[in-house]
Amino acid sequence: MEKVTGCFCACSRRGVECIEYQVVSRHLGYEERQYPATTWVSTTTEGPSLTDANNEMYRKLFAYIQGHNAKGMKINTTTPIRTRIVPCHGATCATIFIMSFLIPADNSDNTPYPLDTALFIEKDPPVRYAVRIFEGRPTEADWLEESHKLADLVRKEPLIDKSYYYTAWYDPPYQLFHRINEIWMVKKAEKQPSTNAGNEHIPVETKDHKVEK
């Protein structure tokens, strides 16, 4: 494991706003990141297919940022688009999908209320993730394979929640090359010791997916 230093810096992906985060540590095949508080507009569905679920949810979320909200306001595009996947492990259940668009930082305190009752606003507190990065245009099978790879890499990490995961994609569908995709798994907070040891600085480094246009 390698620990590195750095700070939060402005983040962009082909000129589109994305989340500033800190790399806490790097491991073989994944890295651990600390994310700040964020605001998202989300919707959910159930079913067997990630592709079908993403298509259905994306249309609703895209309509929201195009002005189908209580203020009739167009909202700037952001990245990544994430989908939370809670797998089904039984014969009669269905996989749960929750897709989310990141709300721009300038709108996080005055986020327009969705007119579509299938949409809702989420306020995420600061959170730490184990993240696996990969390139290309993934199929549904690719997403599943990468999630299994990350789960295997963190299998001995008791604080990583492996009961669900997120897919995150940074590039629009028309972008053919140099695409960035990620799998995220939440790391639960450790119990803080009662001594001053908990006040020690954790070295971090910024990583922001900046790419030249």
Side-chain angles (χ1 to χ4, degrees), residues 63-114:
Y64 169 84
I65 66 171
Q66 288 298 299
H68 189 58
N69 55 65
K71 295 184 179 180
M73 181 174 71
K74 286 194 174 183
I75 299 172
N76 288 337
T77 301
T78 56
T79 194
I81 294 173
R82 75 176 191 189
T83 301
R84 178 172 174 167
I85 301 175
V86 185
C88 169
H89 298 293
T92 59
C93 64
T95 298
I96 299 171
F97 304 99
I98 305 173
M99 178 181 276
S100 304
F101 283 11
L102 176 70
I103 297 295
D106 289 346
N107 301 117
S108 61
D109 291 331
N110 60 342
T111 308
Y113 190 79

Side-chain angles (χ1 to χ4, degrees), residues 11-13 16-21 33 35 38-42 58 61 76-84 98-104 129 131 143 166-172 180-184 207-209:
C11 174
S12 66
R13 172 74 175 165
V16 178
E17 180 182 339
C18 60
I19 312 172
E20 303 168 1
Y21 64 80
R33 299 178 186 168
Y35 280 77
T38 48
T39 303
W40 305 78
V41 58
S42 304
Y58 184 91
L61 293 168
N76 288 337
T77 301
T78 56
T79 194
I81 294 173
R82 75 176 191 189
T83 301
R84 178 172 174 167
I98 305 173
M99 178 181 276
S100 304
F101 283 11
L102 176 70
I103 297 295
Y129 293 107
V131 178
W143 285 115
Y166 293 94
T167 65
W169 40 286
Y170 286 80
D171 302 285
I180 294 294
N181 315 288
E182 294 174 342
I183 301 291
W184 301 351
K207 180 78 171 179
D208 63 6
H209 294 307

Side-chain angles (χ1 to χ4, degrees), residues 97-155:
F97 304 99
I98 305 173
M99 178 181 276
S100 304
F101 283 11
L102 176 70
I103 297 295
D106 289 346
N107 301 117
S108 61
D109 291 331
N110 60 342
T111 308
Y113 190 79
L115 295 178
D116 186 340
T117 58
L119 274 58
F120 51 96
I121 303 299
E122 293 187 280
K123 295 278 189 178
D124 285 6
V127 63
R128 189 164 292 190
Y129 293 107
V131 178
R132 180 169 174 81
I133 308 166
F134 63 103
E135 297 183 354
R137 184 183 290 273
T139 64
E140 188 162 338
D142 293 331
W143 285 115
L144 185 60
E145 179 182 358
E146 293 296 331
S147 71
H148 287 168
K149 287 180 179 178
L150 180 56
D152 186 59
L153 289 167
V154 300
R155 67 186 183 282

